[in-house]
Amino acid sequence: MVSPRVRIQVCGPLFIEIDDERTESRVPGRQGRLLLTFLVLHRHEKVSQPHLIDALWPEDPPGAAGTAVHSLLSKLRSALGHEFLSGRGEVTLTLPADA
């Protein structure tokens, strides 16, 4: 099985290309871009939900922060593909070695 070609740019304008298809327009706003960037930077480890909440809202998380994170993760799965983003309580971004 051939792994998909993946290009993600998080510095400057957001750019996501998976097998020649651009998908960055599916990333939900500022929080979605921040979450994606955080996951790209931590792609070699599992990231817990509390860690994600701290990254997204370092000073004053909303009352339903867990629900908001799950919603953002769902939208990121749509943008990237379910095969790249796994987990719920602990999230892992898995990209091909040459991404």
Side-chain angles (χ1 to χ4, degrees):
M1 181 173 170
V2 176
S3 65
R5 280 186 344 168
V6 177
R7 286 185 54 213
I8 299 176
Q9 173 182 299
V10 294
C11 293
L14 179 63
F15 179 90
I16 304 171
E17 185 176 71
I18 301 172
D19 283 338
D20 299 322
E21 180 184 352
R22 300 277 302 265
T23 63
E24 66 271 2
S25 64
R26 297 182 204 158
V27 175
R30 179 183 166 278
Q31 295 293 336
R33 292 188 305 273
L34 182 59
L35 180 58
L36 174 63
T37 300
F38 186 83
L39 289 171
V40 167
L41 292 173
H42 293 88
R43 67 187 173 274
H44 299 294
E45 58 192 84
K46 290 181 180 181
V47 182
S48 69
Q49 183 184 24
H51 201 170
L52 295 174
I53 290 170
D54 287 344
L56 292 171
W57 300 283
E59 294 180 17
D60 190 24
T67 302
V69 166
H70 288 303
S71 176
L72 288 169
L73 288 169
S74 177
K75 292 173 183 173
L76 277 183
R77 282 186 182 95
S78 294
L80 298 173
H82 293 271
E83 68 271 22
F84 297 113
L85 194 57
S86 62
R88 193 175 162 117
E90 288 189 322
V91 179
T92 304
L93 177 66
T94 305
L95 298 173
D98 62 348

